[in-house]
């Protein structure tokens, strides 16, 4: 009986340890091919909504540039519409548009589609020393999208989850989702 229990535990341990292994990563040549096929300037529309809620803005013209990472212009005036503190909202409107840079992490490559997670860097708009306060926008790292390189289109989501004004987190901030869909120029 002791031997059977040991064998069952050993088999269970092997099963669980095999489940914990990461899926095979893509080779550097596969990643380079995907980046090359996605490379270009995409023109489309950006909509903004609350993470779980109503739409703030629909269909604003926007462009995204894909090279070894993704660069997108993000309109902070749309974010300002969700801010109740007029000082912070005014600062966001004054800043206007910022560039967000996000690295790709591919998780699936099909025959004509690439599916990825975006890893955007925080956006920091320096202030202080007589200028308005520094603004920092922190992004969620679990959003992404897909690119159909056969039809030259891309769609993705970016999600600001925290807003810092000076050295204080703006607690009433509700997470937003910026959704982009566009086609290669």
């Amino acid at each position: 009986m002791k031997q059977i229990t040991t064998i069952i535990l050993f088999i269970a341990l092997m099963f669980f340890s095999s489940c914990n292994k990461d899926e095979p990563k893509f080779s550097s040549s596969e990643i380079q091919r995907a980046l090359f096929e996605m490379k270009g300037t995409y023109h489309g529309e950006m909509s903004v909504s609350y993470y779980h809620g109503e739409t703030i803005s629909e269909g604003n013209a926007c462009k995204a540039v894909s090279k070894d990472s993704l660069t997108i212009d993000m309109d902070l005036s749309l974010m300002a519409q969700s801010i109740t503190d007029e000082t912070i909202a005014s600062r966001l409107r004054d800043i206007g548009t910022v560039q967000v840079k996000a690295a790709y992490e591919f998780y699936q490559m099909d025959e004509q589609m690439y599916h990825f997670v975006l890893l955007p860097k925080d956006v920091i708009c320096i202030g202080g020393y007589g200028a308005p306060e520094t603004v920092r926008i922190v992004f969620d790292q679990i959003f992404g999208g897909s690119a159909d390189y056969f039809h030259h289109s891309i769609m993705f989501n970016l999600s600001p989850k925290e807003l810092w004004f000076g050295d204080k987190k703006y607690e009433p901030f509700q997470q937003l989702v910026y959704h982009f869909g566009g086609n290669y120029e």
Side-chain angles (χ1 to χ4, degrees):
M1 181 69 173
K2 197 176 199 182
Q3 255 183 341
I4 294 174
T5 306
T6 305
I7 292 172
I8 291 172
L9 286 174
F10 179 73
I11 292 171
L13 177 64
M14 293 303 290
F15 175 74
F16 286 119
S17 66
S18 68
C19 290
N20 289 334
K21 290 183 181 177
D22 290 336
E23 291 183 25
K25 302 277 184 195
F26 297 106
S27 70
S28 61
S29 63
E30 289 173 312
I31 293 170
Q32 289 300 320
R33 186 185 79 237
L35 292 172
F36 178 77
E37 289 176 340
M38 292 170 51
K39 188 176 183 175
T41 301
Y42 295 84
H43 293 274
E45 295 183 343
M46 177 79 77
S47 62
V48 181
S49 62
Y50 289 104
Y51 180 57
H52 290 293
E54 64 190 52
T55 299
I56 295 172
S57 168
E58 288 188 30
N60 292 330
C62 189
K63 76 175 183 177
V65 177
S66 179
K67 291 184 182 176
D68 59 344
S69 61
L70 183 75
T71 304
I72 184 89
D73 292 334
M74 190 172 94
D75 184 359
L76 297 184
S77 67
L78 300 173
M79 185 184 292
Q81 294 177 28
S82 68
I83 306 297
T84 56
D85 183 312
E86 187 49 42
T87 303
I88 297 173
S90 176
R91 175 79 167 116
L92 293 175
R93 284 190 295 272
D94 289 344
I95 294 169
T97 302
V98 295
Q99 268 196 351
V100 179
K101 294 188 183 282
Y104 291 109
E105 183 177 306
F106 295 98
Y107 67 89
Q108 186 177 350
M109 294 183 183
D110 298 333
E111 288 187 25
Q112 77 180 48
M113 294 285 288
Y114 295 126
H115 305 279
F116 52 84
V117 173
L118 288 173
L119 306 170
K121 294 180 182 178
D122 292 356
V123 170
I124 301 172
C125 302
I126 303 294
Y129 299 109
E133 291 284 340
T134 296
V135 171
R136 181 168 61 112
I137 301 166
V138 179
F139 292 88
D140 207 326
Q141 302 289 306
I142 63 168
F143 286 79
S146 59
D148 179 342
Y149 61 88
F150 184 75
H151 291 103
H152 305 292
S153 65
I154 193 169
M155 64 76 55
F156 59 85
N157 294 316
L158 291 172
S159 184
K161 68 175 184 175
E162 293 179 10
L163 176 64
W164 290 75
F165 192 69
D167 60 352
K168 294 184 179 146
K169 183 178 176 182
Y170 180 65
E171 292 298 336
F173 181 73
Q174 294 180 13
Q175 187 170 357
L176 300 174
V177 177
Y178 282 69
H179 174 76
F180 177 85
N183 293 305
Y184 178 71
E185 185 175 82

